[in-house]
Every structure is written in C-alpha cells, then in structure tokens.
Amino acid sequence: MTEPQHPAPDTDQRLTDLEIKASFADDLLDTLNAQVAKQQEQIDLLLREVSRLRQRDGDDGLSAGPRDPRDELPPHY
C-alpha cells in the first residue's frame, strides 16, 4: 500500500494565507455590516424627525402663503 501524500510545503503556506485572508475578509464584513446598521438607524431617525417637522409645520410643509414675520424671532434673540 502506498502512504497518503502530504501536501507540499508551498501548498500548506498557500492554504494558511487563504485562511488568513478569509479571516480578515470576515472581520471586514462584520465591521461593514455594523456600520450599515448604524447608518440605517440614523436614516430612520432623520426620517422620523423630518416627518415630525412636517406635521408641526402643517400641510406637509407645502404652505402656499407667505409666513407672518411676527411669528419669527429676530436674529438677536
């Protein structure tokens, strides 16, 4: 019977390099996923804020008439 052949040292090194690259890629994927999730939370928060401001302003911020200057504070306040 013949003994099983062991991979060449070059093959072992290539396999190790691929495992290292896969590990770094996996870490990068986790980091990017966390960043995307954080950005989505910020987008959701901003959308809620815009919606709240539109409701406060009335008729979705599409007021046709001019604003009354008496409702606005002067710049020095």
Side-chain angles (χ1 to χ4, degrees):
M1 292 204 142
T2 61
E3 292 185 28
Q5 293 180 340
H6 293 289
D10 184 47
T11 304
D12 283 340
Q13 183 60 44
R14 289 176 58 204
L15 183 59
T16 301
D17 291 345
L18 287 173
E19 289 173 342
I20 290 170
K21 285 182 180 181
S23 177
F24 279 118
D26 198 32
D27 184 54
L28 177 62
L29 183 62
D30 289 342
T31 302
L32 291 174
N33 188 39
Q35 184 65 34
V36 168
K38 181 179 177 183
Q39 288 177 346
Q40 186 60 50
E41 289 176 11
Q42 291 173 334
I43 289 169
D44 292 341
L45 176 68
L46 290 170
L47 287 173
R48 285 192 302 269
E49 183 69 15
V50 167
S51 177
R52 186 185 64 79
L53 290 171
R54 282 183 177 169
Q55 288 175 355
R56 187 183 81 180
D57 200 29
D59 69 307
D60 291 349
L62 300 175
S63 58
R67 291 185 172 173
D68 188 358
R70 291 177 287 181
D71 292 339
E72 308 234 352
L73 289 175
H76 63 278
Y77 276 78

